[in-house]
C-alpha cells in the first residue's frame, strides 16, 4: 500500500515525487485528488494508467494563483469575475487554452479548452512550492466512488501510487462545480461544491444546463461515481436484501429491514449530506447488499450536485464498456 503522511510532514516527500514524474494523492476541500505534473507527459499518462481513465476524458489543471492561471488560459470578463469571487474554492472554469502554456496535450484530451481550478489548503501550497500546475482528477479508479478520506484513497489506489497525503475528511465532499462561458452565455457542465444559485448571483445571469455537446470536462460521463452495488434512486420503500441510504428525518417504508442503513443528514442539511455522500456510499457498498436504495434528496442548492452524482452512480454500466467494471 502507499505511504500515508500527514500534510504537515508531507511537503518535501510530495515535491520530490512530483519532480520525478510520480503521482501523489492530495487532500483538497472537495475530494482527494490524484496529482501529477501537468507539464510532464509521463506523469499525466500515469494518472490515466492509475485510474484506468478513458484517454478522451480531460483533466482539471490546478493552479496556485491567477498569474499561473493566466499563463494557461484566456479569461473573458465573466470568467474573471467568477474566479475573483470563488477562487480559491470548489469552482472549475473551462476556458480557451493559451498557446505555449506548457501543459501536456493529454491534459486537455485534444480539446481547445482547459479546465482550471485553484484549490485551498495543502493543494495550493504544494502547487506554489512546485511552481507548475498539477493535473489532479479525483483520487479513485475511473467511474468509481471518489475518495474523501486518505484511507479510502489508499484502499482503492494504494497499490498503484507511492504517497497519500492525509488532510483528514474533505470539507465539501463532492467535486467542484464546472462552468463554461460560451458566446456570452454561462453553461453548467457539472454541478458541484458551489451551488448554481451562488454562481448566478455573481454572474448576473442564469446558468444554462443543456449538455448535448459531448464530453467537455471531467465528470460528464453517463456512468460515474459508481459503487459495486446497483443504485435505486428516489426509493419510497426498501425491498428485501437492499441497503438504504437515507436523507432527513422521515424513513422509507420497510427501512427497519434494510441490510444496512446510513443517513446522509438526519437534520436534512444538504451541506452535511454532500460531505457524507461518497463515504456513506462506500460503507453501504461494503455491506454485501447487491442494491442500495436511496431516499429522495431535494434538488435545490447542493442537492443538484448530490443528485447528479447519484444519477451517474445509478446509470447502466453495460453501455460504457470502456469503463473498468
Amino acid at each position: 500500500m502507499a505511504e500515508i503522511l500527514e500534510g504537515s510532514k508531507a511537503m518535501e516527500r510530495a515535491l520530490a515525487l512530483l519532480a520525478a514524474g510520480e503521482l501523489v494523492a492530495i487532500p483538497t476541500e472537495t475530494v482527494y485528488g490524484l496529482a501529477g505534473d501537468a507539464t510532464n507527459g509521463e506523469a499525466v499518462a500515469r494518472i490515466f494508467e492509475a485510474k484506468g481513465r478513458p484517454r478522451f476524458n480531460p483533466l482539471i489543471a490546478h493552479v496556485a494563483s491567477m498569474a499561473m492561471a493566466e499563463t494557461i488560459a484566456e479569461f473573458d470578463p465573466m470568467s474573471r469575475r467568477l474566479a475573483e469571487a470563488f477562487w480559491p474554492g470548489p469552482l472549475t472554469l473551462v476556458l480557451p487554452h493559451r498557446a505555449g502554456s506548457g501543459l501536456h496535450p493529454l491534459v486537455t484530451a485534444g480539446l481547445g479548452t482547459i479546465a482550471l481550478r485553484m484549490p485551498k489548503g495543502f493543494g495550493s501550497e504544494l502547487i506554489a512550492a512546485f511552481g507548475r500546475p498539477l493535473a489532479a482528477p479525483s483520487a479513485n479508479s475511473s467511474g468509481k466512488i471518489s475518495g474523501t478520506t486518505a484511507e479510502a484513497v489508499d484502499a482503492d489506489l494504494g497499490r498503484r501510487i507511492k504517497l497519500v497525503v492525509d488532510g483528514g475528511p474533505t470539507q465539501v465532499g463532492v467535486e467542484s462545480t464546472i462552468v463554461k462561458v460560451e458566446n456570452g452565455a454561462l453553461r453548467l457542465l457539472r454541478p458541484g461544491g458551489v451551488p448554481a444559485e451562488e454562481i448566478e448571483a455573481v454572474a448576473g445571469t442564469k446558468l444554462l444546463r443543456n449538455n448535448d455537446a459531448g464530453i467537455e470536462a471531467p465528470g460528464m460521463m453517463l456512468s460515474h461515481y459508481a459503487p459495486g452495488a446497483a443504485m435505486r434512486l428516489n426509493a419510497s420503500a426498501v425491498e428485501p436484501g437492499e441497503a438504504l441510504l437515507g436523507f432527513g428525518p422521515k424513513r422509507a417504508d420497510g427501512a427497519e429491514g434494510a441490510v444496512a442503513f446510513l443517513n446522509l443528514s438526519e437534520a436534512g442539511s444538504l451541506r452535511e449530506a454532500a460531505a457524507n455522500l461518497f463515504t456513506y456510499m462506500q460503507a453501504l457498498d461494503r455491506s454485501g447488499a447487491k442494491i442500495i436504495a436511496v431516499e429522495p434528496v431535494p434538488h435545490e442548492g447542493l442537492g443538484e450536485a448530490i443528485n447528479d452524482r447519484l444519477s451517474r452512480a445509478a446509470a447502466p454500466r453495460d453501455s460504457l464498456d470502456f469503463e473498468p467494471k
Side-chain angles (χ1 to χ4, degrees):
M1 304 303 280
E3 180 182 12
I4 300 178
L5 292 175
E6 293 181 5
S8 59
K9 304 174 181 178
M11 183 64 72
E12 184 176 349
R13 174 68 169 149
L15 288 170
L17 287 170
L18 291 172
E22 298 288 345
L23 308 182
V24 178
I26 63 171
T28 78
E29 69 276 30
T30 55
V31 298
Y32 276 70
L34 183 61
D37 182 353
T39 69
N40 183 328
E42 290 188 8
V44 178
R46 285 192 176 104
I47 293 175
F48 287 103
E49 182 180 22
K51 286 178 65 70
R53 188 184 183 96
R55 293 299 198 274
F56 54 77
N57 200 358
L59 303 176
I60 294 174
H62 292 70
V63 297
S65 66
M66 276 299 297
M68 184 181 288
E70 288 173 332
T71 67
I72 298 170
E74 299 174 2
F75 281 77
D76 59 274
M78 185 183 294
S79 294
R80 186 175 298 278
R81 188 159 68 246
L82 293 175
E84 291 172 351
F86 295 108
W87 281 3
L91 178 70
T92 293
L93 298 170
V94 174
L95 301 160
H97 185 201
R98 188 181 293 278
S101 71
L103 293 189
H104 193 273
L106 273 176
V107 177
T108 63
L111 300 175
T113 54
I114 179 68
L116 281 187
R117 184 167 96 83
M118 187 187 298
K120 296 179 181 179
F122 181 87
S124 180
E125 295 168 8
L126 180 64
I127 298 164
F130 190 56
R132 296 192 292 277
L134 295 180
S138 56
N140 57 289
S141 297
S142 187
K144 302 303 181 182
I145 301 172
S146 300
T148 56
T149 65
E151 294 76 15
V153 174
D154 189 43
D156 185 358
L157 298 179
R159 291 180 177 84
R160 306 176 208 170
I161 61 176
K162 295 182 178 180
L163 177 64
V164 178
V165 179
D166 189 354
T170 60
Q171 296 177 336
V172 177
V174 294
E175 295 82 358
S176 60
T177 305
I178 303 179
V179 298
K180 178 183 182 183
V181 176
E182 193 171 53
N183 299 321
L186 185 60
R187 285 206 297 138
L188 178 68
L189 300 184
R190 181 181 74 182
V194 181
E197 296 86 347
E198 294 183 15
I199 296 171
E200 290 172 339
V202 171
T205 186
K206 286 290 185 181
L207 278 165
L208 303 180
R209 287 170 169 80
N210 56 319
N211 293 327
D212 55 1
I215 294 175
E216 300 181 69
M220 295 182 69
M221 298 175 72
L222 176 62
S223 178
H224 209 37
Y225 316 108
M231 303 281 287
R232 187 169 67 84
L233 307 186
N234 298 312
S236 59
V238 181
E239 302 296 334
E242 291 184 333
L244 178 63
L245 184 61
F247 177 81
K250 186 178 179 180
R251 295 283 66 78
D253 294 342
E256 65 281 357
V259 171
F261 169 70
L262 287 171
N263 195 333
L264 290 169
S265 175
E266 181 69 31
S269 164
L270 291 170
R271 188 166 298 278
E272 181 183 16
N276 288 331
L277 179 63
F278 291 136
T279 299
Y280 284 11
M281 285 171 61
Q282 288 167 332
L284 291 178
D285 198 29
R286 292 192 295 268
S287 72
K290 293 184 178 180
I291 298 176
I292 300 172
V294 185
E295 293 177 349
V297 177
H299 281 261
E300 68 266 11
L302 283 174
E304 184 175 10
I306 294 169
N307 280 287
D308 173 80
R309 303 312 188 269
L310 288 171
S311 65
R312 294 180 192 275
R317 300 168 200 178
D318 56 2
S319 63
L320 293 175
D321 56 8
F322 45 76
E323 283 285 347
K325 299 298 189 284

